[in-house]
Amino acid sequence: MTLLLSAFAWILLGLFYCNGLEWIIHKKLLHEHGKKKNSAFRFHWEHHNLAKKHDGKDPDYETHSITRESCFVLILILFHMPTILISPFFYLAMVAHGLYYLYVHRKFHMDLHWARVTIPWHWDHHMGPKECVEANWCVTFPLFDYIMGTRKPYYNTN
């Protein structure tokens, strides 16, 4: 029973950590550094422009199975591999979150009805006014947006 509780605690900690990492990477790397002209993260603004132009859809997801995003997630998973020595459950939660992130973000930009209904905070981030684009950093779940006070609902979402 103690092992089960310990495993559950490590999994929750891993998911909490990943949500925070998702928030920081999206805000700091993809937006703050991505705005700079010669940034390696400039592609993120191309993604925003495509989504805005196509009412939320990003056509690149239809034509590319391997994206910069999936490569970046793989690098993060490999970078965090030493955490398996501390807790395999923490690491497995991170791997699961990374795969879930890739699934959710891709589906979001290909299935717009699902996107609006299921992930309204990310819809707000892409389709809302500037104050929503410069907020709503979480993709999979808005926990850290609520913790950090950056959840900004757009008028047409719940």
Side-chain angles (χ1 to χ4, degrees):
M1 185 64 164
T2 306
L3 179 62
L4 186 61
L5 286 173
S6 175
F8 185 69
W10 278 111
I11 290 168
L12 283 179
L13 185 62
L15 295 175
F16 181 79
Y17 173 81
C18 286
N19 193 254
L21 192 60
E22 183 180 307
W23 187 91
I24 288 170
I25 288 170
H26 196 179
K27 181 179 185 336
K28 297 292 184 184
L29 289 181
L30 299 179
H31 277 255
E32 290 179 16
H33 290 289
K35 285 181 183 176
K36 296 174 184 169
K37 201 171 198 170
N38 295 323
S39 171
F41 301 104
R42 185 78 182 159
F43 70 91
H44 188 70
W45 286 103
E46 296 165 17
H47 165 67
H48 267 268
N49 291 335
L50 283 170
K52 198 74 157 182
K53 182 178 177 182
H54 298 282
D55 298 318
K57 190 172 279 231
D58 183 342
D60 279 352
Y61 281 103
E62 294 174 347
T63 57
H64 299 90
S65 58
I66 302 295
T67 62
R68 291 181 195 178
E69 185 176 56
S70 54
C71 292
F72 191 64
V73 168
L74 178 62
I75 289 167
L76 283 171
I77 287 170
L78 293 173
F79 177 79
H80 284 85
M81 194 175 264
T83 63
I84 204 166
L85 299 172
I86 299 165
S87 171
F89 297 108
F90 181 87
Y91 182 71
L92 289 174
M94 290 186 62
V95 170
H97 183 274
L99 296 174
Y100 179 68
Y101 171 89
L102 291 173
Y103 169 77
V104 165
H105 199 223
R106 182 181 192 92
K107 183 167 177 68
F108 178 94
H109 289 290
M110 294 177 70
D111 183 347
L112 300 181
H113 174 71
W114 182 88
R116 280 188 190 197
V117 172
T118 311
I119 316 288
W121 53 89
H122 196 56
W123 182 265
D124 296 344
H125 175 72
H126 274 281
M127 303 310 293
K130 185 175 180 173
E131 62 268 12
C132 290
V133 173
E134 293 300 324
N136 302 308
W137 305 112
C138 295
V139 175
T140 58
F141 186 73
L143 176 64
F144 262 79
D145 279 318
Y146 284 114
I147 291 171
M148 302 303 286
T150 56
R151 174 66 178 113
K152 305 282 185 238
Y154 183 37
Y155 73 91
N156 65 350
T157 63
N158 297 328

